[in-house]
Amino acid sequence: NALSANFKVAPYHFIRPDYNPTIEGAKEEAIYFVKKIKSYYLNNKMLPPVIDVEKPSYQKENPNNRNQIDRWSRAEFTDWLLALSNKVEELLGIKPILYMSESFAQNRVDSRVTTNMLWVAKYGINNGEIGDSPSVGDWSKYDFWQYKDGKFR
């Protein structure tokens, strides 16, 4: 158990704009997320919750909205993401961390989300060595950098 070993952990939510493509849908998604995690924040040992910002790879489940993120402009997607993030913060009292790839940080969101901490994913040759630092779009810095996927040796 990570908490009993004094590691800080965070709940993680994969966004589903394909199921919730409206601003109200984003808020409903936030409400659902917070209902599931709120009790973990009573002891105040958690990192802020994480919102995983990427296109669903299993979009066959909902073919009507399968490319929802691609249909939005940067501003429209940022509006949706802010509705979700702001609702999480309103209900939990903690601004969530946004997890996204370097490409998403550069091309899919605008500067309005830079008040959230950024956990950026940028993989190199995946040998466990740290490569070049990612650029982070409108953020002045990243807070967490995931530079490898899979297992570390």
Side-chain angles (χ1 to χ4, degrees):
N1 185 321
L3 288 175
S4 65
N6 291 320
F7 284 103
K8 290 205 174 199
V9 298
Y12 185 90
H13 178 71
F14 186 84
I15 63 167
R16 292 307 303 259
D18 52 323
Y19 282 106
N20 301 299
T22 65
I23 296 298
E24 283 308 308
K27 292 176 184 177
E28 289 170 16
E29 195 165 320
I31 291 166
Y32 175 81
F33 180 41
V34 170
K35 280 182 185 177
K36 296 290 185 185
I37 67 171
K38 192 162 190 156
S39 65
Y40 293 102
Y41 283 88
L42 299 177
N43 66 16
N44 208 17
K45 292 184 179 182
M46 305 285 284
L47 289 169
V50 177
I51 297 173
D52 183 345
V53 182
E54 57 187 293
K55 279 186 1 182
S57 59
Y58 45 88
Q59 294 176 344
K60 292 177 186 165
E61 294 175 14
N62 193 5
N64 294 333
N65 291 323
R66 64 193 303 157
N67 295 312
Q68 184 60 48
I69 291 174
D70 291 335
R71 288 198 281 269
W72 283 328
S73 67
R74 282 178 82 175
E76 289 169 326
F77 180 59
T78 301
D79 290 343
W80 187 91
L81 185 56
L82 281 173
L84 192 154
S85 176
N86 291 343
K87 191 66 172 180
V88 168
E89 184 177 12
E90 174 191 326
L91 297 171
L92 197 58
I94 302 167
K95 187 180 286 286
I97 297 167
L98 300 179
Y99 169 85
M100 64 184 73
S101 68
E102 178 184 43
S103 174
F104 253 77
Q106 292 171 341
N107 302 308
R108 297 287 187 155
V109 295
D110 66 39
S111 63
R112 293 176 291 152
V113 297
T114 61
T115 59
N116 291 73
M117 288 195 294
L118 175 63
W119 172 4
V120 66
K122 179 186 179 184
Y123 310 134
I125 57 175
N126 290 331
N127 64 1
E129 298 295 320
I130 297 175
D132 294 332
S133 180
S135 59
V136 290
D138 289 321
W139 276 271
S140 61
K141 65 178 183 63
Y142 55 84
D143 297 280
F144 301 93
W145 174 13
Q146 181 177 338
Y147 63 89
K148 183 173 183 340
D149 63 351
K151 295 181 180 178
F152 287 90
R153 295 181 201 189

